[in-house]
Amino acid sequence: MSYLRATRVASRVRFLSTKQSTSSIQEIDKYNDLPPNSRVFSMIQPTGRIHLGNYLGAVKSWRTLSNTNPDSEFIFGIADLHAFTTLKPATELKENRYQAIASLLASGLDVSKCVLYFQSAVPEHSELNWYLTCMTSMGQLNRMTQWKSKAQQSQTSSITDEKVMESTKAGLFCYPALQNADILLYRSTHVPVGDDQSQHLELCRNIAKLFNNTYGVDYFPLPKTLLTPAKKILSLKNPEKKMSKSDPVQASCVYVTDSPEQIQSKIKKATTDSIQGAWNYDPVSRPGISNLINIISGLTNESIDNTVANLHHLKDHKSLKDYVADLIVNEFDDKRQLYDELLQNKDYLEQVCKQGRDKAREMASVNIGEIKTIIGMD
């Protein structure tokens, strides 16, 4: 790729990173209260193109945080080591990794305001993972709920059950320890997550306390949870479960890269209900309608109550779906175009990844050196 073309792509990325309404800054009060000199860390798994749930649940919040808190540091990564818990062909994993980077850049992350890198490119993650795995009990890991859902086990399952043990990979069971290492490696102070990751953050704080107490130091901060403002986005076809790329019904998931026609078609087919009259938010009795309200709320940066109040002009289900589709199309239009351009320019993506890797390793190597001194491995 020519220097001129690379510069043009980088300029478009920077433009999108600042293209957001001031209302979003005012709505996210907890993010405005982020103390100066905070260090914020978060990662997303490389499942390929990001979908609406990823965007509202993580990426949009990352962009808001890094754009509105110039006195803090932001480290965002592609969790490709975590992705290895589900084995995929090498070519697919590699392509997913680059698609994830392109999706984040296209969604407005500005690499002049944050570190963006591949987790596997910083070997200190794996080294600290081993030290913290040795400090984490099997009981703590067994109580985590995510490995059970990912291993397709019931929430009452236990790793001590022989059938569960035989069908569950060790990496999947132990991956919360790697999550702890990811966060603590950079001595992070805040971690933006959705509700489903709160349990892992509590484990991280417990392990940080254990490390500090064991070695009589005050080395690791106890990272605080920043709950992302958007509600969990559910499947368009089955609003009883999360929106997911792995859903066999592709119409259930809207991607950042979908064309306007694809978005309109998917929203038109979204499961709702036959209840007429005023709109109301009720995830139990009206899960489909509530899911669409969540999407509107996340895109407009309005509270659920304000969102519902603003829907009074929509008289039927068709007009509601049309409104949702238009919002998504407008949100993703320029992002889809930039995503396509980025994927055609792997040289630029490589440049971004190497820059992020070097910045991340600069911090990680200093910290792992101090940690090894504390534990006697220097």
Side-chain angles (χ1 to χ4, degrees):
M1 178 176 61
S2 69
Y3 172 78
L4 182 62
R5 192 174 182 191
T7 302
R8 186 167 64 249
V9 172
S11 297
R12 288 194 63 200
V13 171
R14 284 194 294 272
F15 169 74
L16 279 181
S17 72
T18 57
K19 187 182 178 185
Q20 61 170 345
S21 64
T22 54
S23 64
S24 69
I25 299 173
Q26 296 167 350
E27 283 289 326
I28 307 175
D29 294 333
K30 290 183 180 179
Y31 289 1
N32 281 342
D33 294 337
L34 195 66
N37 303 314
S38 298
R39 181 171 283 177
V40 179
F41 177 90
S42 194
M43 282 188 162
I44 189 171
Q45 285 211 34
T47 55
R49 303 171 296 162
I50 66 170
H51 56 63
L52 183 63
N54 303 141
Y55 178 75
L56 293 178
V59 182
K60 190 166 181 279
S61 298
W62 294 2
R63 187 185 68 202
T64 300
L65 281 165
S66 56
N67 282 351
T68 57
N69 294 277
D71 297 327
S72 295
E73 293 180 280
F74 300 90
I75 305 166
F76 301 131
I78 304 301
D80 46 2
L81 293 177
H82 288 288
F84 202 69
T85 58
T86 305
L87 299 180
K88 293 180 176 64
T91 53
E92 181 181 342
L93 177 57
K94 187 169 186 175
E95 187 61 25
N96 282 351
R97 292 164 72 232
Y98 282 102
Q99 286 181 359
I101 286 286
S103 293
L104 294 179
L105 292 172
S107 296
L109 280 190
D110 186 342
V111 291
S112 71
K113 298 177 181 178
C114 67
V115 175
L116 182 60
Y117 72 109
F118 288 130
Q119 176 192 27
S120 61
V122 180
E124 289 81 3
H125 281 269
S126 298
E127 183 173 0
L128 184 56
N129 173 46
W130 176 246
Y131 301 147
L132 298 186
T133 296
C134 294
M135 302 183 73
T136 306
S137 73
M138 294 281 284
Q140 288 174 306
L141 295 174
N142 193 39
R143 286 190 288 274
M144 299 293 105
T145 58
Q146 284 248 318
W147 73 264
K148 298 174 184 178
S149 59
K150 289 178 181 291
Q152 297 183 329
Q153 304 289 344
S154 71
Q155 290 304 313
T156 58
S157 297
S158 171
I159 199 64
T160 58
D161 181 276
E162 187 172 346
K163 289 183 179 180
V164 175
M165 189 183 300
E166 285 297 325
S167 61
T168 303
K169 303 297 184 185
L172 186 59
F173 182 69
C174 295
Y175 87 102
L178 177 56
Q179 278 191 324
N180 295 342
D182 298 334
I183 296 165
L184 297 178
L185 178 60
Y186 300 100
R187 304 180 72 189
S188 310
T189 61
H190 297 79
V191 183
V193 295
D195 289 335
D196 57 345
Q197 291 294 326
S198 296
Q199 188 186 34
H200 288 167
L201 260 294
E202 190 57 38
L203 174 64
C204 185
R205 284 188 284 270
N206 290 337
I207 296 302
K209 289 178 189 175
L210 177 61
F211 181 95
N212 290 343
N213 292 337
T214 299
Y215 293 101
V217 295
D218 187 22
Y219 187 75
F220 288 130
L222 305 185
K224 296 181 180 179
T225 301
L226 284 175
L227 283 177
T228 53
K231 301 288 185 182
K232 185 187 299 182
I233 304 303
L234 304 174
S235 162
L236 295 176
K237 299 300 289 182
N238 180 7
E240 302 293 330
K241 61 182 184 179
K242 281 178 66 172
M243 181 175 285
S244 172
K245 180 185 176 183
S246 61
D247 195 314
V249 182
Q250 283 303 296
S252 67
C253 190
V254 173
Y255 295 97
V256 173
T257 55
D258 280 346
S259 68
E261 294 75 21
Q262 288 173 313
I263 292 171
Q264 290 161 354
S265 175
K266 289 179 179 181
I267 298 299
K268 181 180 179 181
K269 298 174 183 176
T271 299
T272 52
D273 55 40
S274 58
I275 301 174
Q276 304 299 316
W279 305 111
N280 65 302
Y281 183 77
D282 187 342
V284 176
S285 61
R286 305 193 75 181
I289 293 296
S290 298
N291 192 37
L292 294 182
I293 291 173
N294 279 333
I295 292 172
I296 298 169
S297 172
L299 291 173
T300 61
N301 305 302
E302 293 283 354
S303 68
I304 294 296
D305 288 344
N306 287 346
T307 298
V308 172
N310 292 336
L311 298 180
H312 63 86
H313 64 289
L314 303 175
K315 302 304 181 184
D316 54 31
H317 290 68
K318 181 183 182 302
S319 59
L320 175 65
K321 289 183 175 182
D322 288 344
Y323 178 61
V324 173
D326 287 344
L327 282 177
I328 299 173
V329 168
N330 290 335
E331 183 78 15
F332 287 166
D333 184 50
D334 47 9
K335 298 172 179 60
R336 181 185 68 257
Q337 296 176 39
L338 180 55
Y339 173 86
D340 292 338
E341 190 171 345
L342 284 166
L343 273 188
Q344 294 171 16
N345 294 282
K346 291 287 179 67
D347 288 348
Y348 178 71
L349 295 181
E350 287 281 2
Q351 176 186 327
V352 168
C353 294
K354 288 178 180 178
Q355 175 183 306
R357 175 201 64 194
D358 292 345
K359 289 181 179 179
R361 285 212 73 183
E362 185 177 349
M363 291 182 275
S365 60
V366 170
N367 291 349
I368 201 68
E370 293 173 349
I371 291 165
K372 291 169 76 171
T373 297
I374 291 170
I375 67 177
M377 284 284 189
D378 55 318

